[in-house]
Amino acid sequence: MSSFQPQDAEFESRVRESFARQPIMQLIGANLQRVEAGAVDILLPYREDLAQQNGYLHAGILTTVADSACGYAAYTLMPANADVLIVEFKMDLLRPAMSERFVAEARVVKAGATLTVARCDVYGWTGEQAKMVATMLATLIRK
Amino acid sequence: MSSFQPQDAEFESRVRESFARQPIMQLIGANLQRVEAGAVDILLPYREDLAQQNGYLHAGILTTVADSACGYAAYTLMPANADVLIVEFKMDLLRPAMSERFVAEARVVKAGATLTVARCDVYGWTGEQAKMVATMLATLIRK
Amino acid sequence: MSSFQPQDAEFESRVRESFARQPIMQLIGANLQRVEAGAVDILLPYREDLAQQNGYLHAGILTTVADSACGYAAYTLMPANADVLIVEFKMDLLRPAMSERFVAEARVVKAGATLTVARCDVYGWTGEQAKMVATMLATLIRK
Amino acid sequence: MSSFQPQDAEFESRVRESFARQPIMQLIGANLQRVEAGAVDILLPYREDLAQQNGYLHAGILTTVADSACGYAAYTLMPANADVLIVEFKMDLLRPAMSERFVAEARVVKAGATLTVARCDVYGWTGEQAKMVATMLATLIRK
């Protein structure tokens, strides 16, 4: 990963304000953690009502936090008046999502004038033990 | 799409029972509709608490229903004692998800002994007007 | 798939001229077939020197024709002075690519002002028998 | 990336022998470089006959080397009698592929009993300058 130069010095407050306006993040109990230029982490504690039929966190909910993490990682590098939309992503589910909490770590791979590519590794944590449970590769567009 | 022969005549009741045991489907208000050999549709009415910061349904929530639809479409073709897990998927967000209700229409493309490939087109409906808002291409594994 | 209105009535000749200027298409022996608004088919006869270690056509070569088919399908809908670049794609290999010839059938799913999404199903033909051997889902950008 | 324990001490010679039996690698002029447990690099010098209409290396040819690099990275971790097939992959084209030579660096992300997930970053080199031109995320199956 390269180091990135933000175009707007206020990027962190922009990201935190936007995150606070995402009702879905409240519904599932996700918390914004790290916000740096090109890097955003989101924490999601496990909850039974987010699970599929085997008790694992549903892949779509892991995707929800990974998608938002990628979107905000891209957003950190945009000018103050820009918006960002997800174009598409691939998500690989590597292990059953059966941990106490999950951290989606998104990092920008390439920031272009129109399109940004980001990766997000999602780790499942139980106590002090982490394992990667999923990884996303996403394309985002500046609007 | 081909026509598929189910291995278990009771596939519809197996799918409906499993869906009823997915807490996340209750949380977001998703309803199972069509269940045929190789084809499953899931309905999700729009709700404000499922939205992102612009009021569009969050891409991760569209993914949640598309993923479940693909999983159950694969499940319709499996023997009675089998289970199915999603391996990976790609999701393309074609238009802003700003409709009254969404229908995820999953269809099996190829059913193999170990792996199944399925597509899911997600339509946004407002009144009697539908437009495709997203499409998924997914790989699933029999366990 | 919807029906599409081309912006440039001369799209077919633009596509055929561009295809003729792709050296890689000559190298592998690919032939442009159908060119319609939003739809392009490319034929590739099997050749031993395009195979991997088991004698199957290499997945990357199937990808080469599917990618060009998607690119030209998008190109049919663009104005005369536009260019198109592939942004990303997912390719699923459904069956071993061990047929006499392959036809990549690309169809535009959504044509936007900046981005176009296309699918391409690749069929392997032996005599008069066809089976789907791969499917691609791709994003393209107008330049 | 984790460190991996190979199941077969002779993995490097197995990989090099298999690579030598891929006619397509000879056709396009690809060379196998690094072969370590969970890691394979393939070098491809630019050639005009591998280009698309703008003179860039065709995305499908970058895919051909990235796909083989991922396949062999997975293969390094398999027992002596196993074979590996690619199931699917996503490829992102980050920059125009207009360099003197390309190196596809594949690394295993997760090695499972049946499925393996690998990434491949492709760098374009001109003189001593490198930039990432593409990245792949792939699923492979042991046969």
Side-chain angles (χ1 to χ4, degrees), chain D residues 60-75:
Chain D
I61 300 302
L62 284 180
T63 300
T64 302
V65 292
D67 169 310
S68 280
C70 285
Y72 286 121
Y75 195 50

Side-chain angles (χ1 to χ4, degrees), chain D residues 68-100:
Chain D
S68 280
C70 285
Y72 286 121
Y75 195 50
T76 62
L77 302 178
M78 295 198 176
N81 60 340
D83 199 1
V84 62
L85 286 177
I86 191 125
V87 170
E88 60 78 42
F89 53 81
K90 178 189 202 299
M91 182 79 162
D92 282 58
L93 292 314
L94 304 173
R95 292 180 179 87
M98 201 61 188
S99 307
E100 291 175 357

Side-chain angles (χ1 to χ4, degrees), chain C residues 28-130:
Chain C
I28 65 176
N31 294 289
L32 184 58
Q33 299 198 310
R34 178 203 304 245
V35 178
E36 297 173 7
V40 165
D41 295 355
I42 297 178
L43 167 72
L44 181 74
Y46 178 85
R47 264 181 17 201
E48 282 185 4
D49 62 347
L50 304 176
Q52 37 84 289
Q53 72 282 1
N54 297 320
Y56 308 151
L57 200 83
H58 194 286
I61 299 303
L62 285 180
T63 299
T64 301
V65 292
D67 169 310
S68 279
C70 285
Y72 286 122
Y75 196 51
T76 61
L77 303 179
M78 296 197 177
N81 61 340
D83 200 0
V84 63
L85 286 177
I86 190 125
V87 170
E88 60 78 41
F89 54 80
K90 178 187 200 301
M91 181 79 163
D92 282 58
L93 293 314
L94 303 173
R95 293 179 177 87
M98 201 61 189
S99 306
E100 291 176 356
R101 59 195 190 281
F102 300 91
V103 181
E105 304 185 356
R107 303 293 179 263
V108 171
V109 175
K110 159 88 191 300
T114 306
L115 297 179
T116 294
V117 174
R119 282 179 186 153
C120 185
D121 294 335
V122 186
Y123 292 89
W125 287 82
T126 297
E128 296 307 303
Q129 296 268 34

